[in-house]
Amino acid sequence: CRDSEEGQTMSPVEYIMSRLPKTGDASVPEIAAAFNVSVKTVEAWRESGEFAGYCINKSAGSERPRWHVLIEGVRKFAAKRAS
C-alpha cells in the first residue's frame, strides 16, 4: 500500500484507517472515501450487518436518514476484508 510519513509501507487496513478519524465515529461519505467506494456500497454494507450504524437525524422532517458508524466497527470490518 502507500507509504506512511515515516517512509514505511502501510497495510491496507492501516491505510484505510489513516483516512478516518482516530476515535469516535465516521459518516457514511467519510467511510466511502476511505474505502474508495460509493456511498451506496457503504449503505449496503451497513444494511447487511457488516457493521452497525446509528441514525443521527431521526426527526420526522428529515429528507434522508444520515448514518454514522463507530470507528472500531469500521476497523474490524476492514481487517475482516483484508484477511
Side-chain angles (χ1 to χ4, degrees):
C1 240
R2 305 218 167 117
D3 290 338
S4 67
E5 292 177 10
E6 296 83 32
Q8 297 182 1
T9 302
M10 297 168 68
S11 74
V13 175
E14 290 171 327
Y15 177 70
I16 289 167
M17 296 313 297
S18 75
R19 301 180 73 193
L20 292 168
K22 301 290 181 224
T23 60
D25 59 15
S27 68
V28 168
E30 288 173 320
I31 296 166
F35 279 91
N36 198 27
V37 298
S38 71
V39 167
K40 286 185 178 189
T41 296
V42 176
E43 289 172 344
W45 290 339
R46 183 193 53 76
E47 289 170 3
S48 71
E50 292 292 344
F51 43 72
Y54 61 95
C55 188
I56 63 168
N57 64 337
K58 293 183 181 180
S59 63
S62 297
E63 293 177 17
R64 184 170 183 224
R66 290 178 42 212
W67 293 86
H68 275 216
V69 177
L70 293 176
I71 291 298
E72 190 55 36
V74 176
R75 181 177 286 109
K76 289 177 183 176
F77 173 72
K80 181 175 136 183
R81 281 183 50 113
S83 61

